[in-house]
Amino acid sequence: MPHEILSVKLCELDDRIGRLHGRVHLSESACHSRLRQEIEAMGRECEAAELALGQKLQYSRSETAKALFQAYEQIRQIIDNMQARPGPAGDADQAAEEKILLAEYALDFAVQAADRALLTAMEAIEAEMTQNERTKEGNPG
């Protein structure tokens, strides 16, 4: 039943959001060397999570999962390209402002992704309910 899977995924999201809050707070109050360590650790975590998700999607037997993998790879490439863009030459203040702007919109996109995930989950639950109702009525199609 998707309800249990979705509940587990929601708990994972809650946990990740809690860690996000903690890391943002730490980032604001940490010394530079500690912040650098956290950045490196977070970078490794992101790479590992991206690799695991990519492999799960890529090697799935589901055609939908394979299509999601292709879209995921395109989005990852776009994000990588945005982050690799050269900032304003010689203007550290402007470069910092652009990184803050990028972070702000990345968080906005994350909220949008979470909302879209919720909508998709609700639609999946509704589809399952509809299927169960049809089955109970003796009309499995």
Side-chain angles (χ1 to χ4, degrees), residues 90-114:
D91 189 350
D93 289 340
Q94 184 67 26
E97 276 187 39
E98 288 198 13
K99 285 194 177 284
I100 290 170
L101 184 67
L102 183 61
E104 178 185 349
Y105 281 111
L107 290 169
D108 287 342
F109 295 150
V111 170
Q112 284 296 112

Side-chain angles (χ1 to χ4, degrees), residues 22-41:
R23 277 192 157 143
V24 168
H25 180 68
L26 174 69
S27 297
E28 292 172 339
S29 61
C31 67
H32 197 175
S33 62
R34 175 73 174 149
L35 179 57
R36 173 59 37 208
Q37 291 173 350
E38 285 298 314
I39 289 169
E40 290 171 5

Side-chain angles (χ1 to χ4, degrees), residues 4-22 42 53 106-121:
E4 290 83 17
I5 294 168
L6 298 176
S7 291
V8 167
K9 291 294 181 183
L10 186 56
C11 287
E12 287 176 16
L13 180 60
D14 282 341
D15 181 52
R16 298 299 287 254
I17 295 295
R19 284 190 281 165
L20 173 75
H21 280 282
M42 189 71 216
L53 178 59
L107 290 169
D108 287 342
F109 295 150
V111 170
Q112 284 296 112
D115 285 345
R116 181 58 64 174
L118 174 60
L119 176 61
T120 302

